[in-house]
Amino acid sequence: MIQAVIFDLDGVLVDTARYHFMAWQRLAHELGIEFTEKENEQLKGVSRMRSLEIILEMGNLQLSFDEMNKLAEKKNKWFVQYINRMQASEIFPGVKELMAAIRQNGLKIALASSSKNADTVVTLLGIQDFFDVMIDGTMITHTKPDPEIFLLAAQRLNVHPSHCLVYEDAEAGVEAAHAAGMKCVGIGLPEQLRTADYRVALAPEFSIKEIKSIV
Ligand code: BG6
Ligand code: MG
C-alpha cells in the first residue's frame, strides 16, 4: 500500500524541462554540437555537470575543469533568466488538485529534484506547503539514476521505500526509483519510459484513485 508520493519537479509538476532543454541547446549550438529533443532525453534528471559531460562527449570535445565550470555557469545563467520570466500559471493543469487529494487521503508528499534551482522554482510557483519533505540537487552526492535522492526522501518521510510511489519524466529517474525499490509513474509520450510501472501523459492522469489501488 502506498503511504507517500515522491514527485520529480522539472517536467512533472511544471514545464521547466523545456527551459533546461532551451539553455542546453543554446550552449551546444555555441560549441558547434548538434542537439535536439532526442539527445536531450539523456540529460533529463541528471545533474548539471553530468549533463555538460554528456554534451561534450556528443561533440567529442575535451575541456579543462575550469572551462567546464564556466560553461555550466553560463547554461545556468540562461536557465535562471528563463525561469524568472515564468508565470505561476505554468504549473501543469491539475497538479495542485492532485497534491491536495493526496494529502486529504493522509498520504505524505516529497519533492526529489536533481536541480539546484528547485527551491526557486517551487517558491515561484507557490507550492512549497504541499511538501512534507524537499530534497534537491544541493543535498545529494550521486545524481539519478543512482537511488540516493529517493532513499533520502523516504528516510526523511519516515516511510519504507516499498511504500513510496515516484512520478518521473526521465529515464534516469525511473531507473533511480526502481533501484530504490519504489514503483514509478512515467510521465511522457507513450513511446518513452517503457520501463515505468505505469505511464501517463501528465501527472494528474494518474489520480489518487489509481494511487490507492496499488497493492
Ligand atoms: C533536473 C533536470 O531536474 O535537474 C535536468 O531534469 C537538470 O535537466 C538537473 O540538468 C540539474 O538542474 P540545475 O538547475 O541544478 O542545473
Ligand atoms: Mg524531470
Side-chain angles (χ1 to χ4, degrees):
M1 214 178 117
I2 299 302
Q3 295 169 5
V5 179
I6 306 179
F7 287 105
D8 172 49
L9 175 67
D10 299 314
V12 170
L13 301 181
V14 61
D15 201 6
T16 35
R18 184 165 57 99
Y19 297 132
H20 280 295
F21 170 61
M22 281 163 58
W24 282 127
Q25 192 181 49
R26 190 167 163 187
L27 190 79
H29 286 175
E30 263 196 20
L31 296 167
I33 300 168
E34 158 104 9
F35 189 80
T36 66
E37 300 256 12
K38 188 169 165 273
E39 283 84 35
N40 186 56
E41 281 307 306
Q42 292 177 55
L43 269 57
K44 284 187 181 172
V46 306
S47 69
R48 194 181 308 164
M49 253 325 170
R50 182 62 201 131
S51 300
L52 179 59
E53 281 169 11
I54 297 171
I55 290 180
L56 295 178
E57 280 162 23
M58 284 169 186
N60 257 324
L61 278 182
Q62 281 190 342
L63 300 179
S64 71
F65 188 64
D66 269 4
E67 286 168 316
M68 284 179 68
N69 268 330
K70 279 194 194 121
L71 291 180
E73 264 173 42
K74 194 171 184 177
K75 180 267 171 181
N76 191 54
K77 209 180 85 201
W78 290 331
F79 178 74
V80 170
Q81 281 171 4
Y82 298 148
I83 57 171
N84 279 328
R85 274 184 250 140
M86 184 175 80
Q87 306 292 311
S89 59
E90 285 179 54
I91 188 163
F92 284 126
V95 157
K96 283 191 196 171
E97 290 78 1
L98 171 64
M99 292 200 287
I102 293 170
R103 291 191 73 99
Q104 275 155 20
N105 279 269
L107 280 69
K108 291 181 182 171
I109 303 184
L111 183 86
S113 168
S114 307
S115 174
K116 294 183 173 160
N117 293 294
D119 213 32
T120 310
V121 172
V122 164
T123 308
L124 277 167
L125 297 173
I127 54 170
Q128 57 274 29
D129 291 348
F130 283 109
F131 302 106
D132 296 288
V133 163
M134 278 180 54
I135 312 289
D136 68 24
T138 65
M139 299 154 94
I140 49 164
T141 327
H142 306 290
T143 192
K144 299 170 189 174
D146 189 283
E148 180 184 359
I149 194 162
F150 293 130
L151 292 174
L152 183 60
Q155 191 190 50
R156 298 260 174 100
L157 286 165
N158 203 16
V159 173
H160 192 270
S162 61
H163 296 299
C164 296
L165 176 69
V166 173
Y167 281 65
E168 257 296 345
D169 71 318
E171 291 283 356
V174 176
E175 218 181 293
H178 286 161
M182 300 175 185
K183 286 212 168 121
C184 187
V185 182
I187 315 294
L189 301 169
E191 64 271 22
Q192 294 168 336
L193 306 177
R194 291 204 171 270
T195 55
D197 303 276
Y198 316 96
R199 277 180 293 152
V200 287
L202 284 174
E205 290 169 25
F206 199 86
S207 71
I208 184 67
K209 196 170 143 237
E210 274 92 33
I211 296 172
K212 286 175 79 178
S213 71
I214 297 174
V215 282

